[in-house]
Amino acid sequence: MAMANSQSTNLAPTSAEATNDANDHLQKQPQAFDSLEEKIKLDIEHAVVENDPRIWSMTRKNLVLCIISGASMIAGLSANIQNPANAQIEQELHASSGDISLSLSLFILVQGNFPVIWSAVSEIKGRKLVYLLSVALFTLGSVIVAISKTIGLVIGMRIVQAAGSSAVIAIGAATLADIYEPHQRGTMMGVYYSAPLLGPSIGPLLGGGLTQGLDWRAVFWFLVIWGAIIFLAFLILFKDTFRRERSLTYQNVLKRRIREQSLAKSKANSQDTVIHPSAEEPKGTKNERAPEVQDLEAQATIPVPSASAIKEVTLSLADVNPFPPYLKIIARKNNFAILVPSGLLFAFSFSIAYTCARTLADSYQYDALKTGLVLLAYGIGIVAGSILGGRWSDRTLARLKAKHGGKSYPEMRLESTKVAMWWLPPSVIGYAWVCQERVHVAAMCVMLFLAGFFSIWIYTSTLAYIVDANVGRSSTAVATNSSFRGASAFVAAEVAVPLQDAIGDGGLYTLWAGLLIIAQLLILLVLYKGAKWREESEAREKLKSESQ
């Protein structure tokens, strides 16, 4: 199968001498934009950059991984840590259960969709600025929630929290793509993503302990402290991993700006020529012919945006429009087909933690602390599945790459999901009827562990695929994934309790098992058809770009 060069993961940087020679040649020989397109499409991930993050030491890379993992815990914790405090919030702020439900569902909706904006900003201004702004926003929102005296203010500031905590969801994975080669990403994605996924388990545990030991406001003061620590870590220890030469979004905006400047200059020259005819023009011919009408768009020659051009043309936030990149991601059939199961897997994770807490409180009469301890089984399963699933994903990719003579393509990674697909639906059905029949809580813990383990095993590979299949647009792709997750979790949060009351845990999670089977079938469809779809999309995008 002929695969696009831009997706080949066996590409390695050339020798320093050859690369520097090639780069000098490029800067000495201005070319048309078509040449730029070819070079970007060829291997944008390995474009020559200063202080290449890919060649940083492992110590430095691991420091980056630790910081963004710690930051990603903000997203997981803040979504679930409020649950044990809801009763106190209702009583003290005279709120209704509908108000509490609204604060939770709006939080997850905003947290899922706001990364599209953060991602667009990060592709122009870099990762570090976005991290600092978003964590500061989250910390400010947490402070105001902690001192709020009305439920309306709590809801409003929870939305601010959601917007602030959402950035790392999108650009955290993009940061890993900045510093790790494709064959390393599965393992690192697994390590990174285990942190936010601890939220559904340790969030209620922490929230329950703080609420019972102090009060509900202590929950949000804890988030203030955590946010301040992460802010200082980004400010002092984090060095930006973003490189403009490796961002398709940045390069496309830069090309547009250079084109606009070139056209403006050409128009000015044309007007100047009409107003001031050449002194060398023979007398008597000055008025004999009308000035030629020229197609400035066609005649404008746009040079390759070299390093000097990038420095001369400064892009601003006015150049940020998150929607065209977002639409480009979902316009690809392979992306859309993988984003749907990704959203379903996350919605399932959110639903099971939410409804399990309710089942334990109503049917087992567990308090907030005991509920958190039971949900810890789910969290342990998530962490184990994320780490082991990520390693298995990289191992599968390496095995298939060797089998194909050292060549690989993103869809190979999805082969690793097959082993978990056999076990996830039975685990979910087992959980459904253990809860329905009120079996001993130990059986519930086992089913929670298995459901978490196999669901995140699959999700880790789908997330790595989304990054690998969208070279040069990794943060936008992950932000789009987050948008699908947020919308799916919002719907799951709104329908979970009514369905649980109507058909019980047995019916609800049997239904979820069916939805997860559909999700798995979509993943298999991408595994076998995704390469063809992706290549067709790339060819179509290239043709459109060349025609502009």
Side-chain angles (χ1 to χ4, degrees):
M1 182 184 297
M3 308 308 299
N5 285 339
S6 63
Q7 305 299 340
S8 178
T9 57
N10 67 322
L11 292 169
T14 56
S15 66
E17 183 177 355
T19 302
N20 290 335
D21 290 344
N23 203 37
D24 291 341
H25 177 73
L26 282 177
Q27 294 191 21
K28 291 177 182 177
Q29 301 292 331
Q31 300 173 18
F33 259 111
D34 289 345
S35 177
L36 173 64
E37 279 296 324
E38 291 173 3
K39 294 186 180 298
I40 287 178
K41 293 293 184 183
L42 176 62
D43 191 18
I44 191 170
E45 285 205 346
H46 296 95
V48 179
V49 296
E50 294 181 7
N51 190 19
D52 190 347
R54 298 277 178 83
I55 60 174
W56 286 353
S57 67
M58 284 306 299
T59 301
R60 192 171 181 181
K61 290 182 179 182
N62 289 336
L63 177 62
V64 172
L65 177 61
C66 288
I67 293 173
I68 63 171
S69 295
S72 69
M73 285 192 70
I74 289 175
L77 279 174
S78 54
N80 295 276
I81 201 170
Q82 175 189 326
N83 289 338
N86 286 339
Q88 279 195 18
I89 295 174
E90 284 187 41
Q91 184 178 5
E92 184 174 331
L93 300 184
H94 308 291
S96 66
S97 58
D99 294 330
I100 299 298
S101 178
L102 184 63
S103 71
L104 293 172
S105 57
L106 285 178
F107 182 95
I108 199 66
L109 181 64
V110 173
Q111 190 185 65
N113 287 277
F114 212 84
V116 175
I117 297 175
W118 288 128
S119 172
V121 176
S122 78
E123 293 291 346
I124 299 296
K125 293 298 184 180
R127 318 290 191 214
K128 184 170 183 174
L129 176 64
V130 172
Y131 282 134
L132 291 173
L133 288 176
S134 62
V135 175
L137 186 64
F138 168 81
T139 306
L140 176 63
S142 300
V143 169
I144 299 178
V145 172
I147 61 176
S148 294
K149 295 184 178 179
T150 64
I151 189 61
L153 187 57
V154 168
I155 293 173
M157 289 302 103
R158 284 287 280 167
I159 291 174
V160 172
Q161 275 188 309
S165 67
S166 66
V168 73
I169 295 175
I171 64 175
T175 300
L176 296 186
D178 293 340
I179 63 177
Y180 292 110
E181 294 288 353
H183 67 273
Q184 300 172 308
R185 288 177 191 160
T187 299
M188 298 309 170
M189 288 287 183
V191 174
Y192 154 69
Y193 218 76
S194 64
L197 291 171
L198 275 173
S201 55
I202 67 172
L205 188 62
L206 281 171
L210 289 169
T211 301
Q212 289 184 206
L214 298 169
D215 64 2
W216 69 270
R217 297 181 189 275
V219 170
F220 296 98
W221 284 119
F222 170 82
L223 294 178
V224 171
I225 294 170
W226 188 255
I229 292 171
I230 296 301
F231 180 86
L232 291 175
F234 276 122
L235 182 65
I236 299 170
L237 302 176
F238 182 82
K239 189 169 181 64
D240 206 339
T241 63
F242 176 71
R243 297 295 181 266
R244 294 170 293 189
E245 296 86 351
R246 292 178 176 173
S247 169
L248 278 176
T249 301
Y250 186 95
Q251 295 294 331
N252 288 336
V253 173
L254 181 65
K255 287 194 298 180
R256 189 184 73 244
R257 287 287 299 277
I258 293 177
R259 181 183 291 113
E260 290 171 354
Q261 289 185 6
S262 178
L263 290 174
K265 185 177 180 180
S266 298
K267 289 178 181 177
N269 291 338
S270 175
Q271 292 174 357
D272 187 60
T273 300
V274 172
I275 296 173
H276 305 287
S278 172
E280 297 180 2
E281 188 173 12
K283 292 182 180 181
T285 63
K286 187 183 217 176
N287 298 319
E288 290 178 6
R289 66 169 183 253
E292 295 181 4
V293 179
Q294 299 179 344
D295 184 354
L296 299 177
E297 184 84 32
Q299 292 193 358
T301 300
I302 313 299
V304 173
S306 61
S308 59
I310 290 175
K311 291 178 181 178
E312 291 172 4
V313 181
T314 303
L315 304 186
S316 67
L317 292 181
D319 296 300
V320 176
N321 183 351
F323 298 107
Y326 178 91
L327 294 175
K328 282 185 178 180
I329 296 296
I330 62 175
R332 291 187 176 186
K333 288 190 287 185
N334 64 302
N335 284 341
F336 187 81
I338 206 71
L339 289 168
V340 172
S342 176
L344 287 173
L345 286 165
F346 182 79
F348 165 74
S349 178
F350 189 83
S351 177
I352 197 171
Y354 183 43
T355 58
C356 183
R358 191 165 180 259
T359 298
L360 290 168
D362 294 346
S363 302
Y364 291 80
Q365 284 73 52
Y366 276 22
D367 59 24
L369 195 56
K370 287 183 178 180
T371 297
L373 288 170
V374 172
L375 286 173
L376 193 59
Y378 185 70
I380 293 171
I382 282 177
V383 173
S386 183
I387 294 173
L388 295 177
R391 288 183 179 275
W392 184 259
S393 178
D394 281 348
R395 181 178 176 181
T396 301
L397 182 63
R399 174 175 57 82
L400 293 174
K401 182 177 178 180
K403 183 178 178 181
H404 287 77
K407 294 184 178 180
S408 65
Y409 51 93
E411 288 73 21
M412 285 181 177
R413 189 178 291 281
L414 297 177
E415 186 75 26
S416 63
T417 63
K418 287 182 177 180
V419 66
M421 288 181 178
W422 293 103
W423 301 101
L424 179 57
S427 298
V428 175
I429 293 174
Y431 169 79
W433 295 100
V434 162
C435 290
Q436 184 71 27
E437 300 300 324
R438 308 299 184 245
V439 178
H440 192 275
V441 74
M444 183 187 294
C445 289
V446 171
M447 292 298 110
L448 281 170
F449 174 87
L450 293 176
F453 182 86
F454 291 117
S455 64
I456 200 60
W457 181 293
I458 297 173
Y459 183 80
T460 299
S461 290
T462 62
L463 181 63
Y465 170 77
I466 289 168
V467 173
D468 291 349
N470 293 277
V471 176
R473 296 193 182 101
S474 56
S475 67
T476 303
V478 178
T480 306
N481 178 60
S482 176
S483 177
F484 272 68
R485 285 176 35 187
S488 300
F490 175 79
V491 174
E494 290 296 309
V495 304
V497 171
L499 285 175
Q500 189 181 31
D501 290 339
I503 60 179
D505 286 309
L508 174 59
Y509 285 97
T510 299
L511 176 62
W512 262 117
L515 290 174
L516 292 174
I517 289 173
I518 294 173
Q520 293 177 171
L521 291 175
L522 286 171
I523 294 171
L524 292 175
L525 184 63
V526 176
L527 173 61
Y528 295 113
K529 296 288 188 181
K532 179 182 176 182
W533 291 343
R534 177 170 47 78
E535 288 180 331
E536 289 173 350
S537 297
E538 289 170 357
R540 187 165 54 250
E541 290 170 8
K542 183 176 181 180
L543 184 62
K544 183 178 180 181
S545 177
E546 290 174 346
S547 65
Q548 290 179 345

